[in-house]
mmCIF file of all heavy atoms in Angstrom:
data_model
loop_
_atom_site.group_PDB
_atom_site.id
_atom_site.type_symbol
_atom_site.label_atom_id
_atom_site.label_comp_id
_atom_site.label_asym_id
_atom_site.label_seq_id
_atom_site.Cartn_x
_atom_site.Cartn_y
_atom_site.Cartn_z
ATOM 1 N N PRO A 1 13.631 -14.971 -22.254
ATOM 2 C CA PRO A 1 12.554 -15.927 -22.006
ATOM 3 C C PRO A 1 13.011 -17.227 -21.342
ATOM 4 O O PRO A 1 12.278 -17.788 -20.537
ATOM 5 C CB PRO A 1 11.957 -16.198 -23.383
ATOM 6 C CG PRO A 1 12.881 -15.607 -24.365
ATOM 7 C CD PRO A 1 13.751 -14.625 -23.659
ATOM 8 N N GLU A 2 14.240 -17.680 -21.633
ATOM 9 C CA GLU A 2 14.696 -18.923 -20.998
ATOM 10 C C GLU A 2 14.893 -18.725 -19.501
ATOM 11 O O GLU A 2 14.658 -19.641 -18.715
ATOM 12 C CB GLU A 2 15.960 -19.490 -21.660
ATOM 13 C CG GLU A 2 17.217 -18.686 -21.455
ATOM 14 C CD GLU A 2 17.399 -17.525 -22.434
ATOM 15 O OE1 GLU A 2 16.566 -17.319 -23.320
ATOM 16 O OE2 GLU A 2 18.404 -16.820 -22.290
ATOM 17 N N LEU A 3 15.282 -17.525 -19.087
ATOM 18 C CA LEU A 3 15.414 -17.229 -17.662
ATOM 19 C C LEU A 3 14.044 -17.206 -17.001
ATOM 20 O O LEU A 3 13.844 -17.794 -15.935
ATOM 21 C CB LEU A 3 16.133 -15.896 -17.447
ATOM 22 C CG LEU A 3 16.250 -15.428 -15.995
ATOM 23 C CD1 LEU A 3 17.035 -16.438 -15.169
ATOM 24 C CD2 LEU A 3 16.896 -14.055 -15.935
ATOM 25 N N VAL A 4 13.089 -16.545 -17.639
ATOM 26 C CA VAL A 4 11.726 -16.513 -17.108
ATOM 27 C C VAL A 4 11.187 -17.930 -16.980
ATOM 28 O O VAL A 4 10.601 -18.298 -15.957
ATOM 29 C CB VAL A 4 10.797 -15.657 -18.000
ATOM 30 C CG1 VAL A 4 9.353 -15.762 -17.540
ATOM 31 C CG2 VAL A 4 11.250 -14.206 -18.004
ATOM 32 N N SER A 5 11.414 -18.738 -17.982
ATOM 33 C CA SER A 5 10.944 -20.124 -17.959
ATOM 34 C C SER A 5 11.543 -20.889 -16.786
ATOM 35 O O SER A 5 10.833 -21.589 -16.059
ATOM 36 C CB SER A 5 11.307 -20.813 -19.275
ATOM 37 O OG SER A 5 10.976 -22.170 -19.226
ATOM 38 N N ARG A 6 12.843 -20.747 -16.580
ATOM 39 C CA ARG A 6 13.505 -21.452 -15.481
ATOM 40 C C ARG A 6 12.993 -20.982 -14.132
ATOM 41 O O ARG A 6 12.739 -21.781 -13.233
ATOM 42 C CB ARG A 6 15.014 -21.284 -15.572
ATOM 43 C CG ARG A 6 15.621 -22.059 -16.738
ATOM 44 C CD ARG A 6 17.108 -21.909 -16.856
ATOM 45 N NE ARG A 6 17.777 -22.241 -15.611
ATOM 46 C CZ ARG A 6 18.908 -21.672 -15.219
ATOM 47 N NH1 ARG A 6 19.504 -20.765 -15.951
ATOM 48 N NH2 ARG A 6 19.460 -22.020 -14.082
ATOM 49 N N VAL A 7 12.835 -19.680 -13.982
ATOM 50 C CA VAL A 7 12.344 -19.128 -12.720
ATOM 51 C C VAL A 7 10.924 -19.605 -12.442
ATOM 52 O O VAL A 7 10.585 -19.984 -11.321
ATOM 53 C CB VAL A 7 12.418 -17.582 -12.741
ATOM 54 C CG1 VAL A 7 11.652 -16.981 -11.587
ATOM 55 C CG2 VAL A 7 13.870 -17.114 -12.720
ATOM 56 N N LEU A 8 10.078 -19.627 -13.486
ATOM 57 C CA LEU A 8 8.677 -19.994 -13.294
ATOM 58 C C LEU A 8 8.474 -21.490 -13.041
ATOM 59 O O LEU A 8 7.371 -21.902 -12.702
ATOM 60 C CB LEU A 8 7.837 -19.535 -14.489
ATOM 61 C CG LEU A 8 7.683 -18.022 -14.609
ATOM 62 C CD1 LEU A 8 6.884 -17.666 -15.854
ATOM 63 C CD2 LEU A 8 7.068 -17.415 -13.360
ATOM 64 N N THR A 9 9.521 -22.280 -13.161
ATOM 65 C CA THR A 9 9.391 -23.681 -12.758
ATOM 66 C C THR A 9 9.514 -23.814 -11.246
ATOM 67 O O THR A 9 9.130 -24.827 -10.680
ATOM 68 C CB THR A 9 10.443 -24.590 -13.432
ATOM 69 O OG1 THR A 9 11.739 -24.173 -13.041
ATOM 70 C CG2 THR A 9 10.300 -24.584 -14.948
ATOM 71 N N ALA A 10 10.053 -22.767 -10.601
ATOM 72 C CA ALA A 10 10.250 -22.813 -9.145
ATOM 73 C C ALA A 10 9.263 -21.944 -8.383
ATOM 74 O O ALA A 10 8.904 -22.262 -7.254
ATOM 75 C CB ALA A 10 11.678 -22.386 -8.807
ATOM 76 N N ILE A 11 8.861 -20.811 -8.972
ATOM 77 C CA ILE A 11 7.934 -19.905 -8.293
ATOM 78 C C ILE A 11 6.821 -19.505 -9.254
ATOM 79 O O ILE A 11 6.959 -19.665 -10.464
ATOM 80 C CB ILE A 11 8.656 -18.645 -7.750
ATOM 81 C CG1 ILE A 11 9.233 -17.807 -8.892
ATOM 82 C CG2 ILE A 11 9.712 -19.017 -6.732
ATOM 83 C CD1 ILE A 11 9.823 -16.483 -8.440
ATOM 84 N N SER A 12 5.757 -18.973 -8.715
ATOM 85 C CA SER A 12 4.615 -18.561 -9.537
ATOM 86 C C SER A 12 4.878 -17.187 -10.157
ATOM 87 O O SER A 12 5.728 -16.432 -9.667
ATOM 88 C CB SER A 12 3.353 -18.500 -8.680
ATOM 89 O OG SER A 12 3.405 -17.394 -7.799
ATOM 90 N N PRO A 13 4.139 -16.826 -11.218
ATOM 91 C CA PRO A 13 4.283 -15.486 -11.779
ATOM 92 C C PRO A 13 4.017 -14.398 -10.743
ATOM 93 O O PRO A 13 4.690 -13.369 -10.734
ATOM 94 C CB PRO A 13 3.226 -15.454 -12.895
ATOM 95 C CG PRO A 13 3.068 -16.879 -13.303
ATOM 96 C CD PRO A 13 3.237 -17.661 -12.023
ATOM 97 N N GLN A 14 3.063 -14.621 -9.859
ATOM 98 C CA GLN A 14 2.766 -13.642 -8.814
ATOM 99 C C GLN A 14 3.960 -13.492 -7.865
ATOM 100 O O GLN A 14 4.316 -12.380 -7.476
ATOM 101 C CB GLN A 14 1.526 -14.055 -8.038
ATOM 102 C CG GLN A 14 1.125 -13.063 -6.975
ATOM 103 C CD GLN A 14 -0.108 -13.505 -6.212
ATOM 104 O OE1 GLN A 14 -0.503 -14.656 -6.255
ATOM 105 N NE2 GLN A 14 -0.709 -12.573 -5.505
ATOM 106 N N GLU A 15 4.593 -14.596 -7.502
ATOM 107 C CA GLU A 15 5.768 -14.528 -6.628
ATOM 108 C C GLU A 15 6.921 -13.806 -7.317
ATOM 109 O O GLU A 15 7.644 -13.038 -6.681
ATOM 110 C CB GLU A 15 6.199 -15.930 -6.209
ATOM 111 C CG GLU A 15 5.222 -16.610 -5.266
ATOM 112 C CD GLU A 15 5.503 -18.090 -5.078
ATOM 113 O OE1 GLU A 15 5.888 -18.773 -6.057
ATOM 114 O OE2 GLU A 15 5.342 -18.564 -3.939
ATOM 115 N N LEU A 16 7.091 -14.026 -8.616
ATOM 116 C CA LEU A 16 8.119 -13.317 -9.374
ATOM 117 C C LEU A 16 7.847 -11.821 -9.344
ATOM 118 O O LEU A 16 8.754 -11.017 -9.129
ATOM 119 C CB LEU A 16 8.184 -13.822 -10.815
ATOM 120 C CG LEU A 16 9.159 -13.089 -11.738
ATOM 121 C CD1 LEU A 16 10.590 -13.172 -11.215
ATOM 122 C CD2 LEU A 16 9.055 -13.642 -13.158
ATOM 123 N N ARG A 17 6.587 -11.443 -9.529
ATOM 124 C CA ARG A 17 6.208 -10.028 -9.515
ATOM 125 C C ARG A 17 6.511 -9.411 -8.139
ATOM 126 O O ARG A 17 7.039 -8.306 -8.055
ATOM 127 C CB ARG A 17 4.721 -9.894 -9.859
ATOM 128 C CG ARG A 17 4.300 -8.496 -10.189
ATOM 129 C CD ARG A 17 2.890 -8.446 -10.748
ATOM 130 N NE ARG A 17 2.714 -9.331 -11.882
ATOM 131 C CZ ARG A 17 1.945 -10.423 -11.888
ATOM 132 N NH1 ARG A 17 1.260 -10.763 -10.829
ATOM 133 N NH2 ARG A 17 1.843 -11.174 -12.970
ATOM 134 N N VAL A 18 6.191 -10.119 -7.063
ATOM 135 C CA VAL A 18 6.465 -9.624 -5.704
ATOM 136 C C VAL A 18 7.973 -9.430 -5.519
ATOM 137 O O VAL A 18 8.415 -8.410 -4.990
ATOM 138 C CB VAL A 18 5.894 -10.592 -4.645
ATOM 139 C CG1 VAL A 18 6.414 -10.267 -3.254
ATOM 140 C CG2 VAL A 18 4.372 -10.570 -4.670
ATOM 141 N N PHE A 19 8.748 -10.393 -5.972
ATOM 142 C CA PHE A 19 10.208 -10.320 -5.853
ATOM 143 C C PHE A 19 10.757 -9.119 -6.605
ATOM 144 O O PHE A 19 11.533 -8.323 -6.054
ATOM 145 C CB PHE A 19 10.842 -11.624 -6.372
ATOM 146 C CG PHE A 19 12.338 -11.589 -6.418
ATOM 147 C CD1 PHE A 19 13.083 -11.731 -5.261
ATOM 148 C CD2 PHE A 19 13.001 -11.409 -7.622
ATOM 149 C CE1 PHE A 19 14.471 -11.698 -5.301
ATOM 150 C CE2 PHE A 19 14.387 -11.364 -7.669
ATOM 151 C CZ PHE A 19 15.120 -11.507 -6.509
ATOM 152 N N VAL A 20 10.355 -8.962 -7.859
ATOM 153 C CA VAL A 20 10.859 -7.861 -8.678
ATOM 154 C C VAL A 20 10.437 -6.517 -8.090
ATOM 155 O O VAL A 20 11.231 -5.574 -8.039
ATOM 156 C CB VAL A 20 10.385 -8.020 -10.147
ATOM 157 C CG1 VAL A 20 10.702 -6.779 -10.962
ATOM 158 C CG2 VAL A 20 11.025 -9.254 -10.774
ATOM 159 N N ASP A 21 9.190 -6.414 -7.624
ATOM 160 C CA ASP A 21 8.726 -5.172 -7.001
ATOM 161 C C ASP A 21 9.543 -4.842 -5.756
ATOM 162 O O ASP A 21 9.884 -3.676 -5.519
ATOM 163 C CB ASP A 21 7.240 -5.254 -6.641
ATOM 164 C CG ASP A 21 6.336 -5.127 -7.852
ATOM 165 O OD1 ASP A 21 6.815 -4.710 -8.927
ATOM 166 O OD2 ASP A 21 5.135 -5.442 -7.722
ATOM 167 N N ALA A 22 9.868 -5.838 -4.947
ATOM 168 C CA ALA A 22 10.661 -5.612 -3.733
ATOM 169 C C ALA A 22 12.058 -5.108 -4.085
ATOM 170 O O ALA A 22 12.581 -4.189 -3.435
ATOM 171 C CB ALA A 22 10.741 -6.890 -2.904
ATOM 172 N N VAL A 23 12.665 -5.673 -5.107
ATOM 173 C CA VAL A 23 13.995 -5.220 -5.537
ATOM 174 C C VAL A 23 13.902 -3.779 -6.036
ATOM 175 O O VAL A 23 14.735 -2.935 -5.691
ATOM 176 C CB VAL A 23 14.568 -6.157 -6.625
ATOM 177 C CG1 VAL A 23 15.826 -5.572 -7.250
ATOM 178 C CG2 VAL A 23 14.851 -7.544 -6.045
ATOM 179 N N ALA A 24 12.879 -3.478 -6.819
ATOM 180 C CA ALA A 24 12.713 -2.111 -7.336
ATOM 181 C C ALA A 24 12.548 -1.111 -6.200
ATOM 182 O O ALA A 24 13.155 -0.032 -6.213
ATOM 183 C CB ALA A 24 11.514 -2.046 -8.277
ATOM 184 N N ARG A 25 11.738 -1.454 -5.209
ATOM 185 C CA ARG A 25 11.530 -0.558 -4.061
ATOM 186 C C ARG A 25 12.836 -0.332 -3.299
ATOM 187 O O ARG A 25 13.133 0.789 -2.883
ATOM 188 C CB ARG A 25 10.476 -1.122 -3.094
ATOM 189 C CG ARG A 25 9.088 -1.276 -3.629
ATOM 190 C CD ARG A 25 8.328 0.017 -3.625
ATOM 191 N NE ARG A 25 6.976 0.011 -4.096
ATOM 192 C CZ ARG A 25 6.456 -0.597 -5.141
ATOM 193 N NH1 ARG A 25 7.175 -1.382 -5.874
ATOM 194 N NH2 ARG A 25 5.195 -0.451 -5.488
ATOM 195 N N ALA A 26 13.614 -1.384 -3.113
ATOM 196 C CA ALA A 26 14.895 -1.255 -2.406
ATOM 197 C C ALA A 26 15.843 -0.338 -3.179
ATOM 198 O O ALA A 26 16.527 0.506 -2.581
ATOM 199 C CB ALA A 26 15.525 -2.632 -2.204
ATOM 200 N N ILE A 27 15.867 -0.472 -4.485
ATOM 201 C CA ILE A 27 16.725 0.388 -5.311
ATOM 202 C C ILE A 27 16.251 1.834 -5.248
ATOM 203 O O ILE A 27 17.062 2.755 -5.096
ATOM 204 C CB ILE A 27 16.764 -0.118 -6.769
ATOM 205 C CG1 ILE A 27 17.490 -1.463 -6.824
ATOM 206 C CG2 ILE A 27 17.412 0.907 -7.689
ATOM 207 C CD1 ILE A 27 17.367 -2.193 -8.137
ATOM 208 N N GLU A 28 14.930 2.029 -5.288
ATOM 209 C CA GLU A 28 14.386 3.401 -5.200
ATOM 210 C C GLU A 28 14.770 4.048 -3.864
ATOM 211 O O GLU A 28 15.170 5.205 -3.828
ATOM 212 C CB GLU A 28 12.864 3.378 -5.364
ATOM 213 C CG GLU A 28 12.412 3.124 -6.773
ATOM 214 C CD GLU A 28 10.906 3.111 -6.926
ATOM 215 O OE1 GLU A 28 10.246 2.423 -6.112
ATOM 216 O OE2 GLU A 28 10.399 3.778 -7.836
ATOM 217 N N ARG A 29 14.625 3.295 -2.763
ATOM 218 C CA ARG A 29 14.990 3.829 -1.453
ATOM 219 C C ARG A 29 16.476 4.169 -1.380
ATOM 220 O O ARG A 29 16.869 5.203 -0.860
ATOM 221 C CB ARG A 29 14.596 2.857 -0.342
ATOM 222 C CG ARG A 29 13.105 2.839 -0.039
ATOM 223 C CD ARG A 29 12.805 2.059 1.220
ATOM 224 N NE ARG A 29 13.212 0.666 1.159
ATOM 225 C CZ ARG A 29 12.479 -0.321 0.661
ATOM 226 N NH1 ARG A 29 11.275 -0.069 0.184
ATOM 227 N NH2 ARG A 29 12.937 -1.556 0.642
#
């Protein structure tokens, strides 16, 4: 949770979701 908190001070939850989805897609490929 402290990591999520730190990240969410810089980007929105939606931006975090986009980032994580992009990483997941790259790993799948």
Side-chain angles (χ1 to χ4, degrees):
E2 69 276 359
L3 176 61
V4 173
S5 175
R6 289 180 54 211
V7 168
L8 291 178
T9 62
I11 64 174
S12 72
Q14 182 180 16
E15 291 168 322
L16 176 59
R17 194 170 306 113
V18 168
F19 174 77
V20 171
D21 285 346
V23 170
R25 297 280 181 318
I27 292 169
E28 286 180 312
R29 285 190 300 274

